[in-house]
């Protein structure tokens, strides 16, 4: 199985605050990996380091076996290969849903306007947003914005998509519509790294679940093992209230 992304001995400090402490982590092609843990455990920082939105203090990040910090690959080129879906959507407010899904294709991938539009329409339709192509973000609900953001990431035809707590900014009734889309993407074989507090999604959809605590990976394994028989005391403590519901 081909490894898409691998991080080795990643550390990240913000001043004197050590947020990531010697993290080693890899994701294979077609794998869905969910990263769980308490707020402040380093989950989102790990994701942002993988995507080079944050520069690690030390350590290496490999993309398909190549050390991207030494390869000379431009960050925009690398980010196009690893799509990102943010907690706060990060759509361009002055652009329509269609234009939001086209701009990266034309600016970074240098696709023609016609090709970019056809590709954007394909993915907006896939996430159920084809009826809103001319709407601007302020005209859309939170769930609709997040579905456009997912379509935007897909439009770049990335090797993997990173999801940074994609439902945490949504009203409860809108969470379901985004998770449905993500479940369908997982079934399609898309490589996904998902930072989430949605334990049922992690349990049902992930191939592997990673539990982070205090800047390290405290435990990882298949969801049936980690949720039913966690080995680390911190994992047990974190999951206790979820395990009672499952």
């Amino acid at each position: 199985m081909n490894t898409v992304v691998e991080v080795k001995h990643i550390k990240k400090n913000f001043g004197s605050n050590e947020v990531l402490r010697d993290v080693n982590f890899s994701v294979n092609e077609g794998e869905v990996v969910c990263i769980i843990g308490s707020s402040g455990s380093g989950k989102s920082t790990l994701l942002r380091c993988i995507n080079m939105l944050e520069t690690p203090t030390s350590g290496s990040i490999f993309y398909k076996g190549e050390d991207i910090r030494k390869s000379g690959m431009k960050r925009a080129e690398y980010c196009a290969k690893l799509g990102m879906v943010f907690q706060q959507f990060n759509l361009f407010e002055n652009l329509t849903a269609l234009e939001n899904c086209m701009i990266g294709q034309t600016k970074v991938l240098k696709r023609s306007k016609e090709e970019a539009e056809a590709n954007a329409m394909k993915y907006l339709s896939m996430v159920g947003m084809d009826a809103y192509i001319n709407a601007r973000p302020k005209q859309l609900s939170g769930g609709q914005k997040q579905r456009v953001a997912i379509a935007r990431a897909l439009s770049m035809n990335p090797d993997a998509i990173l999801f940074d707590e994609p439902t945490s900014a949504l009203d409860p009734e809108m969470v379901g519509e985004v998770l449905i889309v993500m479940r369908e993407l997982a079934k399609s074989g898309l490589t996904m790294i998902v930072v989430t507090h949605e334990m049922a999604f992690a349990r049902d959809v992930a191939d592997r679940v990673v539990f982070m605590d205090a800047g390290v990976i405290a435990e990882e394994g298949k969801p049936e093992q980690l949720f039913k028989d966690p080995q680390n005391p911190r994992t047990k403590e974190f999951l206790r209230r979820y395990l009672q519901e499952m």
Side-chain angles (χ1 to χ4, degrees):
M1 192 174 291
N2 296 327
T3 300
V4 178
V5 174
E6 183 176 14
V7 300
K8 293 184 177 180
H9 306 296
I10 287 293
K11 296 183 180 181
K12 178 62 180 178
N13 296 349
F14 292 101
S16 61
N17 184 20
E18 192 175 34
V19 179
L20 296 177
R21 301 184 288 138
D22 197 28
V23 174
N24 296 279
F25 175 77
S26 64
V27 179
N28 295 321
E29 190 174 321
E31 192 175 24
V32 178
V33 177
C34 284
I35 304 174
I36 63 173
S38 302
S39 296
S41 60
K43 308 182 302 297
S44 292
T45 300
L46 174 59
L47 211 62
R48 291 175 68 84
C49 284
I50 290 172
N51 206 39
M52 293 303 289
L53 292 172
E54 297 284 356
T55 302
T57 303
S58 62
S60 302
I61 302 172
F62 295 87
Y63 164 73
K64 294 188 172 179
E66 187 174 16
D67 187 337
I68 64 163
R69 301 180 75 186
K70 298 178 180 178
S71 69
M73 184 186 297
K74 293 180 180 177
R75 196 176 77 81
E77 181 185 351
Y78 175 64
C79 288
K81 298 177 184 299
L82 295 181
M84 186 88 164
V85 175
F86 298 89
Q87 182 177 336
Q88 297 292 345
F89 325 125
N90 285 28
L91 298 175
F92 294 108
E93 294 291 332
N94 61 323
L95 300 181
T96 66
L98 180 60
E99 290 165 343
N100 264 285
C101 295
M102 290 174 60
I103 189 167
Q105 298 184 68
T106 57
K107 298 287 187 183
V108 178
L109 302 181
K110 306 303 181 185
R111 288 175 178 161
S112 68
K113 182 179 177 182
E114 293 75 20
E115 183 184 4
E117 182 172 339
N119 203 44
M121 284 298 303
K122 171 185 173 182
Y123 291 110
L124 284 165
S125 179
M126 179 187 292
V127 301
M129 288 299 293
D130 45 326
Y132 298 89
I133 61 170
N134 294 317
R136 285 179 164 75
K138 66 181 180 181
Q139 299 170 298
L140 301 174
S141 70
Q144 290 171 331
K145 290 177 187 177
Q146 198 60 291
R147 284 189 281 155
V148 171
I150 292 171
R152 177 178 62 180
L154 290 167
S155 293
M156 301 295 283
N157 301 112
D159 292 318
I161 295 185
L162 317 182
F163 295 82
D164 187 9
E165 300 190 22
T167 60
S168 63
L170 302 179
D171 293 332
E173 65 267 23
M174 295 175 186
V175 170
E177 65 188 62
V178 172
L179 291 180
I180 287 170
V181 170
M182 292 176 64
R183 285 172 184 266
E184 290 303 312
L185 292 177
K187 287 180 188 176
S188 76
L190 178 69
T191 307
M192 298 167 62
I193 309 173
V194 186
V195 169
T196 185
H197 289 292
E198 300 290 341
M199 294 300 119
F201 177 87
R203 178 197 62 189
D204 298 341
V205 178
D207 297 301
R208 181 158 47 101
V209 178
V210 172
F211 172 68
M212 290 193 69
D213 181 58
V216 300
I217 293 176
E219 186 169 356
E220 63 179 301
K222 292 191 174 296
E224 55 267 30
Q225 177 270 312
L226 192 135
F227 280 99
K228 291 181 181 177
D229 187 27
Q231 301 301 303
N232 187 295
R234 283 291 295 118
T235 318
K236 292 179 182 179
E237 180 185 341
F238 176 79
L239 289 175
R240 185 172 293 125
R241 61 192 172 103
Y242 298 108
L243 293 172
Q244 290 171 350
E245 298 170 2
M246 291 181 179

